[in-house]
Amino acid sequence: MNELMRRLLFLPPQASGFARDFDYLHYAVITVSMLGVLAVALALLWFSFKYRRRTQTTDPARPRPEPLTHAQEFGTAFGLLALFVGFWCFGVRQYAVMQRVPPGGLLVYVTAKQWMWSFDYANGNRTNETLYVPTGRTVELAMTSRDVIHSFYVPAFRIKKDVIPGRTTSVWFSAVRPGVYPIFCAEYCGLDHSVMRGRVVALTPNEFAERFERTPRAPGGATHPLAEAELGGNGELTSLAARGERVAAARGCLRCHTLDGTPHLGPSWARLYGHEVPLESGAPVVADAAYLTESMMEPLAKVHRGFSPIMPTYRGILQPAETAALVELIRSLADAPIQPTAPLVSADAPAVTLPTALDGGIAP
Ligand code: CUA
């Protein structure tokens, strides 16, 4: 039945864990709508036959339709509303599944630009146009754009999400079987929008580990066949977090943030990722890729409680690749040991006061 409906509606293969559930809702909405259209069409035909005009003059014997009672009117309206609310409830449940990323997945950083996709992996690999993933494992994509708004669309996985400059949006999926699935850009982004394509190559976990996840070594200058990666001085691939440390030093982040849990002018990056951040205003947020990127681009939007709002914006300064490297660095410190002398900054810690030398603002 599933296969029949899928073919009838020209849907792509169901290649992700939630694709089938999404399609079931799709089938239900389509079927109910089609049955509704059919019922209206049949009623139209029947009534036009039953109440047709038989003579030129008014026919006193011509049957008159009975008006609906109030109960019938309310019943119809209530039935339609219940149907709509029912669809909505299923849709909201599926939306919630998509929004909640299961922990412990593989995180890949996606950068969109006119007119291509590139993918950065934590171990330092980078690929253009082709995203390699293992099957049966949660893959989370932290996506940003270098120029205009794009939209990451993989029909076979039933995922589509806007990719926005200066922000990080995320989607997740888990590929159910090995294969090659096309990626499209689903937001008009300029001249070559229609050819801004890529592909997801889903490999078995063994194949993925064998061919892609293992850190490639390049003693004779030979790089990993799948990666156009940055190699360190010793010929080994530089991990994304290590790149993040270089970016943090070069961009001056480490003047205010520490990596070992010691509170400084800004919150330490140790044990930050995935943890709740108490805010100056309102409810706490979880420090994920989206929050961290927002804090770099719009530092005053959600200020960590207990810290002065002194961070300058890095919008237009940090490249997406640098943002990804910094997020990965902070993520790599999610379970870092805290210096014994460094108390965790708690919600009721006193605000850190600025040394006067920095009052003129901090150069990025
Ligand atoms: Cu990128 Cu359309």
Side-chain angles (χ1 to χ4, degrees), residues 42 93 158 190 192 303 319 324-325:
L42 289 177
R93 236 186 55 201
R158 311 291 189 270
D192 279 344
V303 178
Q319 296 299 313

Side-chain angles (χ1 to χ4, degrees), residues 127-180:
T127 56
N128 287 332
E129 319 233 310
T130 305
L131 167 64
Y132 293 90
V133 298
T135 53
R137 186 169 164 199
T138 300
V139 177
E140 182 185 359
L141 304 178
M143 313 187 292
T144 190
S145 165
R146 266 174 58 172
D147 34 49
V148 298
I149 298 180
H150 303 268
S151 182
F152 186 86
Y153 180 31
V154 184
F157 293 164
R158 311 291 189 270
I159 55 169
K160 186 198 284 179
K161 192 130 189 184
D162 278 6
V163 182
I164 301 164
R167 269 200 240 171
T168 296
T169 50
S170 48
V171 285
W172 74 274
F173 60 86
S174 127
V176 289
R177 72 183 81 87
V180 179

Side-chain angles (χ1 to χ4, degrees), residues 115 117 149-151 185-190 193 196:
W115 288 277
W117 303 98
I149 298 180
H150 303 268
S151 182
C185 178
E187 180 70 56
Y188 181 68
C189 56
H193 158 71
M196 184 171 167

